[in-house]
Amino acid sequence: MSDKKNINVPFFSTSRVNSKFDLSSIAQQVIDSYWYILGNEVNEFEKEFADYLNIKHCISVANGTDALTIALKTVGVSRGDKVITTANAGFYSSTAIYAVDAEPIYVDIDTESLTMSFADFVAALDCQPKAVIVTHLYGKLSPAIKEIAALAKEKGIKVIEDCAQAHGAKNNNRHAGTFGDVACFSFYPTKNLGALGDGGAIVTSHDEFAVNARHLRQYGWTEKYHVTVKDGQNSRLDELQAAFLRAKLPFLDESNEERRQIAQRYNSEFSKLPLVLPALIDEGYVAHLYVIQSEHRDELAIYLKNNGVSCDIHYPVPDHLQSAYNYRNPIKLTRTERVCEKIISLPCYQGMDETHIDKVISTVCDFFRRG
Ligand SMILES: Cc1ncc(COP(=O)(O)O)c(C=O)c1O
């Protein structure tokens, strides 16, 4: 029997999550096809991912940040426009908003789901925003998405869902990514549907947005060497990544369920500890990250690290306080800032070793037992 004390628990393991796939054969087939960009694998993946989500169009791109940037351009956001977003989601939406020279308008979060608060969204509408980006953070479908989408439609504001952490999350059989005008995904290797490199996608049920996004991802071409759409860029998923994603997509629901079960186990083992735990583990949460809150977060993080359990903080600095932007009068987002000081993410992914799950549980419990 292995000595639990000597086990090191990684935060994530690409070898564990990919262990059931014959990735070498998949790669070899693409290599042997001699077609590496925008070919059959990409076309088929786009169809299969759209079918999975039950949405009309999927346009693959090079990564999730490009997906957000192209989505903003697609719905007509440009220089000086205002875009409502939250500040606790890793600066990804902010990066895209700045990339199109627009201005982020940060609103506070709902403390249970840690996603955009509907009341704060409503309060920000006076700024006449062109769009809103709603992030389904940590794999949790935003409970406010329907209300936000309904009100935004009434006001002529475009809704972009950031689903980079929420592949497969759903509510009454409606997937994250099908509530807004356009939705964005990342296939970064740690995502619930992860490639072996960078990748991303835009999905939409609007024909005109789909056409626009397709042009924008490739120089603004309508046909080869004919630029008919301004502000295009080069952002393409490659055949290799599309082939890996096609192999993994049929197992997405199963692996999401595995993640949820780990989260459920953590929740029951930690239920008596002085921690705030993910509130609801149901189909609306795909456990991309298992994030708990502790008043003793920093001590807990050190204790976990010293005892061989890797953890992380998603995310340590809210967007409106990032030093590169040096805001002269940073707004105050009380809930976002408070939660930021307490959050800590524990390892949670499909294929995770049982002994590793046990070790995470015993180490967290030991920390509180020792006081
Ligand atoms: C919520 C969210 N949005 C966007 C992104 C950006 O995706 P990418 O790293 O593929 O650019 C990420 C990825 O890390 C993310 O977690």
Side-chain angles (χ1 to χ4, degrees), residues 63-66 68 89 92 135 137 162 164-165 186-188 191 198-199 315:
N63 57 65
T65 312
D66 280 0
L68 287 166
Y92 304 110
T135 303
L137 196 66
D162 183 349
Q165 303 189 356
S186 163
F187 305 120
Y188 184 78
K191 301 304 187 200
D198 276 315
Y315 297 89

mmCIF file with all atom_site columns, all heavy atoms in Angstrom, residues 63-66 68 89 92 135 137 162 164-165 186-188 191 198-199 315, ligand 1:
data_model
loop_
_atom_site.group_PDB
_atom_site.id
_atom_site.type_symbol
_atom_site.label_atom_id
_atom_site.label_alt_id
_atom_site.label_comp_id
_atom_site.label_asym_id
_atom_site.label_entity_id
_atom_site.label_seq_id
_atom_site.pdbx_PDB_ins_code
_atom_site.Cartn_x
_atom_site.Cartn_y
_atom_site.Cartn_z
_atom_site.occupancy
_atom_site.B_iso_or_equiv
_atom_site.pdbx_formal_charge
_atom_site.auth_seq_id
_atom_site.auth_comp_id
_atom_site.auth_asym_id
_atom_site.auth_atom_id
_atom_site.pdbx_PDB_model_num
ATOM   1   N N   . ASN A 1 63  ? -8.441  30.044 -30.568 1.00 0.00 ? 63  ASN A N   1
ATOM   2   C CA  . ASN A 1 63  ? -8.466  29.967 -29.093 1.00 0.00 ? 63  ASN A CA  1
ATOM   3   C C   . ASN A 1 63  ? -9.702  30.703 -28.564 1.00 0.00 ? 63  ASN A C   1
ATOM   4   O O   . ASN A 1 63  ? -10.413 31.356 -29.335 1.00 0.00 ? 63  ASN A O   1
ATOM   5   C CB  . ASN A 1 63  ? -7.170  30.560 -28.478 1.00 0.00 ? 63  ASN A CB  1
ATOM   6   C CG  . ASN A 1 63  ? -6.942  31.994 -28.904 1.00 0.00 ? 63  ASN A CG  1
ATOM   7   O OD1 . ASN A 1 63  ? -7.721  32.883 -28.557 1.00 0.00 ? 63  ASN A OD1 1
ATOM   8   N ND2 . ASN A 1 63  ? -5.899  32.241 -29.680 1.00 0.00 ? 63  ASN A ND2 1
ATOM   9   N N   . GLY A 1 64  ? -9.925  30.605 -27.261 1.00 0.00 ? 64  GLY A N   1
ATOM   10  C CA  . GLY A 1 64  ? -11.127 31.192 -26.670 1.00 0.00 ? 64  GLY A CA  1
ATOM   11  C C   . GLY A 1 64  ? -11.114 32.713 -26.657 1.00 0.00 ? 64  GLY A C   1
ATOM   12  O O   . GLY A 1 64  ? -12.174 33.346 -26.760 1.00 0.00 ? 64  GLY A O   1
ATOM   13  N N   . THR A 1 65  ? -9.935  33.298 -26.537 1.00 0.00 ? 65  THR A N   1
ATOM   14  C CA  . THR A 1 65  ? -9.858  34.763 -26.505 1.00 0.00 ? 65  THR A CA  1
ATOM   15  C C   . THR A 1 65  ? -10.181 35.334 -27.885 1.00 0.00 ? 65  THR A C   1
ATOM   16  O O   . THR A 1 65  ? -10.890 36.342 -28.005 1.00 0.00 ? 65  THR A O   1
ATOM   17  C CB  . THR A 1 65  ? -8.463  35.231 -26.037 1.00 0.00 ? 65  THR A CB  1
ATOM   18  O OG1 . THR A 1 65  ? -8.124  34.498 -24.864 1.00 0.00 ? 65  THR A OG1 1
ATOM   19  C CG2 . THR A 1 65  ? -8.436  36.711 -25.729 1.00 0.00 ? 65  THR A CG2 1
ATOM   20  N N   . ASP A 1 66  ? -9.683  34.673 -28.927 1.00 0.00 ? 66  ASP A N   1
ATOM   21  C CA  . ASP A 1 66  ? -10.050 35.082 -30.296 1.00 0.00 ? 66  ASP A CA  1
ATOM   22  C C   . ASP A 1 66  ? -11.554 34.916 -30.500 1.00 0.00 ? 66  ASP A C   1
ATOM   23  O O   . ASP A 1 66  ? -12.195 35.732 -31.171 1.00 0.00 ? 66  ASP A O   1
ATOM   24  C CB  . ASP A 1 66  ? -9.334  34.221 -31.342 1.00 0.00 ? 66  ASP A CB  1
ATOM   25  C CG  . ASP A 1 66  ? -7.894  34.671 -31.586 1.00 0.00 ? 66  ASP A CG  1
ATOM   26  O OD1 . ASP A 1 66  ? -7.449  35.643 -30.938 1.00 0.00 ? 66  ASP A OD1 1
ATOM   27  O OD2 . ASP A 1 66  ? -7.223  34.035 -32.419 1.00 0.00 ? 66  ASP A OD2 1
ATOM   28  N N   . LEU A 1 68  ? -13.891 35.291 -28.330 1.00 0.00 ? 68  LEU A N   1
ATOM   29  C CA  . LEU A 1 68  ? -14.557 36.452 -27.717 1.00 0.00 ? 68  LEU A CA  1
ATOM   30  C C   . LEU A 1 68  ? -14.352 37.713 -28.563 1.00 0.00 ? 68  LEU A C   1
ATOM   31  O O   . LEU A 1 68  ? -15.282 38.506 -28.760 1.00 0.00 ? 68  LEU A O   1
ATOM   32  C CB  . LEU A 1 68  ? -14.002 36.687 -26.299 1.00 0.00 ? 68  LEU A CB  1
ATOM   33  C CG  . LEU A 1 68  ? -14.438 35.688 -25.219 1.00 0.00 ? 68  LEU A CG  1
ATOM   34  C CD1 . LEU A 1 68  ? -13.574 35.827 -23.969 1.00 0.00 ? 68  LEU A CD1 1
ATOM   35  C CD2 . LEU A 1 68  ? -15.915 35.888 -24.850 1.00 0.00 ? 68  LEU A CD2 1
ATOM   36  N N   . ALA A 1 89  ? -13.331 36.967 -13.712 1.00 0.00 ? 89  ALA A N   1
ATOM   37  C CA  . ALA A 1 89  ? -13.206 35.823 -14.619 1.00 0.00 ? 89  ALA A CA  1
ATOM   38  C C   . ALA A 1 89  ? -11.918 35.843 -15.429 1.00 0.00 ? 89  ALA A C   1
ATOM   39  O O   . ALA A 1 89  ? -11.898 35.546 -16.624 1.00 0.00 ? 89  ALA A O   1
ATOM   40  C CB  . ALA A 1 89  ? -14.429 35.747 -15.526 1.00 0.00 ? 89  ALA A CB  1
ATOM   41  N N   . TYR A 1 92  ? -10.209 37.530 -19.295 1.00 0.00 ? 92  TYR A N   1
ATOM   42  C CA  . TYR A 1 92  ? -10.374 37.076 -20.688 1.00 0.00 ? 92  TYR A CA  1
ATOM   43  C C   . TYR A 1 92  ? -11.353 37.969 -21.446 1.00 0.00 ? 92  TYR A C   1
ATOM   44  O O   . TYR A 1 92  ? -11.081 38.390 -22.565 1.00 0.00 ? 92  TYR A O   1
ATOM   45  C CB  . TYR A 1 92  ? -10.842 35.621 -20.733 1.00 0.00 ? 92  TYR A CB  1
ATOM   46  C CG  . TYR A 1 92  ? -9.920  34.693 -19.987 1.00 0.00 ? 92  TYR A CG  1
ATOM   47  C CD1 . TYR A 1 92  ? -10.312 34.090 -18.789 1.00 0.00 ? 92  TYR A CD1 1
ATOM   48  C CD2 . TYR A 1 92  ? -8.643  34.441 -20.466 1.00 0.00 ? 92  TYR A CD2 1
ATOM   49  C CE1 . TYR A 1 92  ? -9.450  33.249 -18.104 1.00 0.00 ? 92  TYR A CE1 1
ATOM   50  C CE2 . TYR A 1 92  ? -7.777  33.601 -19.787 1.00 0.00 ? 92  TYR A CE2 1
ATOM   51  C CZ  . TYR A 1 92  ? -8.200  33.005 -18.604 1.00 0.00 ? 92  TYR A CZ  1
ATOM   52  O OH  . TYR A 1 92  ? -7.344  32.186 -17.932 1.00 0.00 ? 92  TYR A OH  1
ATOM   53  N N   . THR A 1 135 ? -20.073 35.301 -18.274 1.00 0.00 ? 135 THR A N   1
ATOM   54  C CA  . THR A 1 135 ? -19.178 34.142 -18.146 1.00 0.00 ? 135 THR A CA  1
ATOM   55  C C   . THR A 1 135 ? -19.813 33.090 -17.238 1.00 0.00 ? 135 THR A C   1
ATOM   56  O O   . THR A 1 135 ? -20.180 33.393 -16.106 1.00 0.00 ? 135 THR A O   1
ATOM   57  C CB  . THR A 1 135 ? -17.819 34.583 -17.553 1.00 0.00 ? 135 THR A CB  1
ATOM   58  O OG1 . THR A 1 135 ? -17.264 35.602 -18.383 1.00 0.00 ? 135 THR A OG1 1
ATOM   59  C CG2 . THR A 1 135 ? -16.849 33.411 -17.473 1.00 0.00 ? 135 THR A CG2 1
ATOM   60  N N   . LEU A 1 137 ? -18.909 30.865 -15.092 1.00 0.00 ? 137 LEU A N   1
ATOM   61  C CA  . LEU A 1 137 ? -17.626 30.652 -14.406 1.00 0.00 ? 137 LEU A CA  1
ATOM   62  C C   . LEU A 1 137 ? -17.556 29.329 -13.643 1.00 0.00 ? 137 LEU A C   1
ATOM   63  O O   . LEU A 1 137 ? -18.519 28.921 -13.001 1.00 0.00 ? 137 LEU A O   1
ATOM   64  C CB  . LEU A 1 137 ? -17.405 31.825 -13.443 1.00 0.00 ? 137 LEU A CB  1
ATOM   65  C CG  . LEU A 1 137 ? -15.989 32.002 -12.912 1.00 0.00 ? 137 LEU A CG  1
ATOM   66  C CD1 . LEU A 1 137 ? -15.006 32.368 -14.020 1.00 0.00 ? 137 LEU A CD1 1
ATOM   67  C CD2 . LEU A 1 137 ? -15.947 33.062 -11.816 1.00 0.00 ? 137 LEU A CD2 1
ATOM   68  N N   . ASP A 1 162 ? -19.723 33.537 -22.443 1.00 0.00 ? 162 ASP A N   1
ATOM   69  C CA  . ASP A 1 162 ? -18.383 32.954 -22.402 1.00 0.00 ? 162 ASP A CA  1
ATOM   70  C C   . ASP A 1 162 ? -18.515 31.576 -21.757 1.00 0.00 ? 162 ASP A C   1
ATOM   71  O O   . ASP A 1 162 ? -18.696 31.457 -20.540 1.00 0.00 ? 162 ASP A O   1
ATOM   72  C CB  . ASP A 1 162 ? -17.424 33.852 -21.608 1.00 0.00 ? 162 ASP A CB  1
ATOM   73  C CG  . ASP A 1 162 ? -16.007 33.292 -21.606 1.00 0.00 ? 162 ASP A CG  1
ATOM   74  O OD1 . ASP A 1 162 ? -15.832 32.132 -22.022 1.00 0.00 ? 162 ASP A OD1 1
ATOM   75  O OD2 . ASP A 1 162 ? -15.084 34.010 -21.178 1.00 0.00 ? 162 ASP A OD2 1
ATOM   76  N N   . ALA A 1 164 ? -16.210 29.142 -21.968 1.00 0.00 ? 164 ALA A N   1
ATOM   77  C CA  . ALA A 1 164 ? -14.886 28.488 -21.980 1.00 0.00 ? 164 ALA A CA  1
ATOM   78  C C   . ALA A 1 164 ? -14.722 27.489 -20.843 1.00 0.00 ? 164 ALA A C   1
ATOM   79  O O   . ALA A 1 164 ? -13.875 26.599 -20.917 1.00 0.00 ? 164 ALA A O   1
ATOM   80  C CB  . ALA A 1 164 ? -13.789 29.541 -21.913 1.00 0.00 ? 164 ALA A CB  1
ATOM   81  N N   . GLN A 1 165 ? -15.524 27.658 -19.772 1.00 0.00 ? 165 GLN A N   1
ATOM   82  C CA  . GLN A 1 165 ? -15.411 26.736 -18.640 1.00 0.00 ? 165 GLN A CA  1
ATOM   83  C C   . GLN A 1 165 ? -16.676 25.885 -18.485 1.00 0.00 ? 165 GLN A C   1
ATOM   84  O O   . GLN A 1 165 ? -16.845 25.233 -17.469 1.00 0.00 ? 165 GLN A O   1
ATOM   85  C CB  . GLN A 1 165 ? -15.158 27.533 -17.352 1.00 0.00 ? 165 GLN A CB  1
ATOM   86  C CG  . GLN A 1 165 ? -13.914 28.407 -17.434 1.00 0.00 ? 165 GLN A CG  1
ATOM   87  C CD  . GLN A 1 165 ? -13.521 29.047 -16.116 1.00 0.00 ? 165 GLN A CD  1
ATOM   88  O OE1 . GLN A 1 165 ? -14.198 28.923 -15.113 1.00 0.00 ? 165 GLN A OE1 1
ATOM   89  N NE2 . GLN A 1 165 ? -12.404 29.759 -16.125 1.00 0.00 ? 165 GLN A NE2 1
ATOM   90  N N   . SER A 1 186 ? -13.476 27.806 -25.378 1.00 0.00 ? 186 SER A N   1
ATOM   91  C CA  . SER A 1 186 ? -12.033 27.565 -25.491 1.00 0.00 ? 186 SER A CA  1
ATOM   92  C C   . SER A 1 186 ? -11.829 26.061 -25.391 1.00 0.00 ? 186 SER A C   1
ATOM   93  O O   . SER A 1 186 ? -12.545 25.384 -24.649 1.00 0.00 ? 186 SER A O   1
ATOM   94  C CB  . SER A 1 186 ? -11.299 28.255 -24.336 1.00 0.00 ? 186 SER A CB  1
ATOM   95  O OG  . SER A 1 186 ? -9.980  27.721 -24.199 1.00 0.00 ? 186 SER A OG  1
ATOM   96  N N   . PHE A 1 187 ? -10.852 25.545 -26.132 1.00 0.00 ? 187 PHE A N   1
ATOM   97  C CA  . PHE A 1 187 ? -10.509 24.115 -26.023 1.00 0.00 ? 187 PHE A CA  1
ATOM   98  C C   . PHE A 1 187 ? -9.092  23.950 -25.500 1.00 0.00 ? 187 PHE A C   1
ATOM   99  O O   . PHE A 1 187 ? -8.401  22.981 -25.833 1.00 0.00 ? 187 PHE A O   1
ATOM   100 C CB  . PHE A 1 187 ? -10.696 23.416 -27.382 1.00 0.00 ? 187 PHE A CB  1
ATOM   101 C CG  . PHE A 1 187 ? -12.077 23.582 -27.961 1.00 0.00 ? 187 PHE A CG  1
ATOM   102 C CD1 . PHE A 1 187 ? -12.261 24.198 -29.188 1.00 0.00 ? 187 PHE A CD1 1
ATOM   103 C CD2 . PHE A 1 187 ? -13.200 23.136 -27.266 1.00 0.00 ? 187 PHE A CD2 1
ATOM   104 C CE1 . PHE A 1 187 ? -13.534 24.365 -29.725 1.00 0.00 ? 187 PHE A CE1 1
ATOM   105 C CE2 . PHE A 1 187 ? -14.479 23.305 -27.787 1.00 0.00 ? 187 PHE A CE2 1
ATOM   106 C CZ  . PHE A 1 187 ? -14.646 23.916 -29.021 1.00 0.00 ? 187 PHE A CZ  1
ATOM   107 N N   . TYR A 1 188 ? -8.645  24.907 -24.716 1.00 0.00 ? 188 TYR A N   1
ATOM   108 C CA  . TYR A 1 188 ? -7.340  24.819 -24.038 1.00 0.00 ? 188 TYR A CA  1
ATOM   109 C C   . TYR A 1 188 ? -7.276  23.453 -23.330 1.00 0.00 ? 188 TYR A C   1
ATOM   110 O O   . TYR A 1 188 ? -8.322  22.951 -22.876 1.00 0.00 ? 188 TYR A O   1
ATOM   111 C CB  . TYR A 1 188 ? -7.276  25.984 -23.033 1.00 0.00 ? 188 TYR A CB  1
ATOM   112 C CG  . TYR A 1 188 ? -5.972  26.112 -22.314 1.00 0.00 ? 188 TYR A CG  1
ATOM   113 C CD1 . TYR A 1 188 ? -4.863  26.685 -22.934 1.00 0.00 ? 188 TYR A CD1 1
ATOM   114 C CD2 . TYR A 1 188 ? -5.838  25.672 -20.995 1.00 0.00 ? 188 TYR A CD2 1
ATOM   115 C CE1 . TYR A 1 188 ? -3.658  26.800 -22.261 1.00 0.00 ? 188 TYR A CE1 1
ATOM   116 C CE2 . TYR A 1 188 ? -4.642  25.785 -20.315 1.00 0.00 ? 188 TYR A CE2 1
ATOM   117 C CZ  . TYR A 1 188 ? -3.557  26.345 -20.957 1.00 0.00 ? 188 TYR A CZ  1
ATOM   118 O OH  . TYR A 1 188 ? -2.367  26.455 -20.288 1.00 0.00 ? 188 TYR A OH  1
ATOM   119 N N   . LYS A 1 191 ? -9.520  22.415 -20.355 1.00 0.00 ? 191 LYS A N   1
ATOM   120 C CA  . LYS A 1 191 ? -10.974 22.645 -20.375 1.00 0.00 ? 191 LYS A CA  1
ATOM   121 C C   . LYS A 1 191 ? -11.735 21.312 -20.361 1.00 0.00 ? 191 LYS A C   1
ATOM   122 O O   . LYS A 1 191 ? -11.169 20.274 -20.686 1.00 0.00 ? 191 LYS A O   1
ATOM   123 C CB  . LYS A 1 191 ? -11.371 23.451 -21.627 1.00 0.00 ? 191 LYS A CB  1
ATOM   124 C CG  . LYS A 1 191 ? -10.697 24.812 -21.726 1.00 0.00 ? 191 LYS A CG  1
ATOM   125 C CD  . LYS A 1 191 ? -10.932 25.666 -20.513 1.00 0.00 ? 191 LYS A CD  1
ATOM   126 C CE  . LYS A 1 191 ? -10.400 27.064 -20.707 1.00 0.00 ? 191 LYS A CE  1
ATOM   127 N NZ  . LYS A 1 191 ? -10.180 27.769 -19.447 1.00 0.00 ? 191 LYS A NZ  1
ATOM   128 N N   . ASP A 1 198 ? -3.937  24.894 -28.449 1.00 0.00 ? 198 ASP A N   1
ATOM   129 C CA  . ASP A 1 198 ? -5.002  25.900 -28.384 1.00 0.00 ? 198 ASP A CA  1
ATOM   130 C C   . ASP A 1 198 ? -6.142  25.588 -29.357 1.00 0.00 ? 198 ASP A C   1
ATOM   131 O O   . ASP A 1 198 ? -5.927  24.939 -30.388 1.00 0.00 ? 198 ASP A O   1
ATOM   132 C CB  . ASP A 1 198 ? -4.431  27.279 -28.736 1.00 0.00 ? 198 ASP A CB  1
ATOM   133 C CG  . ASP A 1 198 ? -3.781  27.947 -27.529 1.00 0.00 ? 198 ASP A CG  1
ATOM   134 O OD1 . ASP A 1 198 ? -4.382  27.921 -26.442 1.00 0.00 ? 198 ASP A OD1 1
ATOM   135 O OD2 . ASP A 1 198 ? -2.667  28.491 -27.682 1.00 0.00 ? 198 ASP A OD2 1
ATOM   136 N N   . GLY A 1 199 ? -7.304  26.083 -29.024 1.00 0.00 ? 199 GLY A N   1
ATOM   137 C CA  . GLY A 1 199 ? -8.460  25.952 -29.908 1.00 0.00 ? 199 GLY A CA  1
ATOM   138 C C   . GLY A 1 199 ? -9.620  26.725 -29.329 1.00 0.00 ? 199 GLY A C   1
ATOM   139 O O   . GLY A 1 199 ? -9.642  27.028 -28.131 1.00 0.00 ? 199 GLY A O   1
ATOM   140 N N   . TYR A 1 315 ? -9.692  33.821 -9.595  1.00 0.00 ? 315 TYR A N   1
ATOM   141 C CA  . TYR A 1 315 ? -8.430  34.387 -10.026 1.00 0.00 ? 315 TYR A CA  1
ATOM   142 C C   . TYR A 1 315 ? -7.986  35.361 -8.942  1.00 0.00 ? 315 TYR A C   1
ATOM   143 O O   . TYR A 1 315 ? -8.853  35.972 -8.295  1.00 0.00 ? 315 TYR A O   1
ATOM   144 C CB  . TYR A 1 315 ? -8.610  35.084 -11.368 1.00 0.00 ? 315 TYR A CB  1
ATOM   145 C CG  . TYR A 1 315 ? -9.012  34.048 -12.430 1.00 0.00 ? 315 TYR A CG  1
ATOM   146 C CD1 . TYR A 1 315 ? -10.347 33.735 -12.665 1.00 0.00 ? 315 TYR A CD1 1
ATOM   147 C CD2 . TYR A 1 315 ? -8.034  33.346 -13.145 1.00 0.00 ? 315 TYR A CD2 1
ATOM   148 C CE1 . TYR A 1 315 ? -10.706 32.762 -13.602 1.00 0.00 ? 315 TYR A CE1 1
ATOM   149 C CE2 . TYR A 1 315 ? -8.391  32.386 -14.098 1.00 0.00 ? 315 TYR A CE2 1
ATOM   150 C CZ  . TYR A 1 315 ? -9.725  32.097 -14.305 1.00 0.00 ? 315 TYR A CZ  1
ATOM   151 O OH  . TYR A 1 315 ? -10.082 31.130 -15.209 1.00 0.00 ? 315 TYR A OH  1
HETATM 152 C C1  . LIG B 2 .   ? -13.707 31.961 -18.826 1.00 0.00 ? 1   LIG B C1  1
HETATM 153 C C2  . LIG B 2 .   ? -12.657 31.960 -19.893 1.00 0.00 ? 1   LIG B C2  1
HETATM 154 N N1  . LIG B 2 .   ? -12.819 32.739 -20.959 1.00 0.00 ? 1   LIG B N1  1
HETATM 155 C C3  . LIG B 2 .   ? -11.923 32.776 -21.954 1.00 0.00 ? 1   LIG B C3  1
HETATM 156 C C4  . LIG B 2 .   ? -10.772 32.023 -21.896 1.00 0.00 ? 1   LIG B C4  1
HETATM 157 C C5  . LIG B 2 .   ? -9.751  32.184 -22.965 1.00 0.00 ? 1   LIG B C5  1
HETATM 158 O O1  . LIG B 2 .   ? -9.482  31.016 -23.669 1.00 0.00 ? 1   LIG B O1  1
HETATM 159 P P1  . LIG B 2 .   ? -8.076  30.783 -24.373 1.00 0.00 ? 1   LIG B P1  1
HETATM 160 O O2  . LIG B 2 .   ? -7.074  30.515 -23.292 1.00 0.00 ? 1   LIG B O2  1
HETATM 161 O O3  . LIG B 2 .   ? -8.311  29.602 -25.244 1.00 0.00 ? 1   LIG B O3  1
HETATM 162 O O4  . LIG B 2 .   ? -7.771  32.009 -25.138 1.00 0.00 ? 1   LIG B O4  1
HETATM 163 C C6  . LIG B 2 .   ? -10.559 31.171 -20.817 1.00 0.00 ? 1   LIG B C6  1
HETATM 164 C C7  . LIG B 2 .   ? -9.391  30.314 -20.774 1.00 0.00 ? 1   LIG B C7  1
HETATM 165 O O5  . LIG B 2 .   ? -8.529  30.130 -20.151 1.00 0.00 ? 1   LIG B O5  1
HETATM 166 C C8  . LIG B 2 .   ? -11.524 31.139 -19.768 1.00 0.00 ? 1   LIG B C8  1
HETATM 167 O O6  . LIG B 2 .   ? -11.360 30.357 -18.710 1.00 0.00 ? 1   LIG B O6  1
#
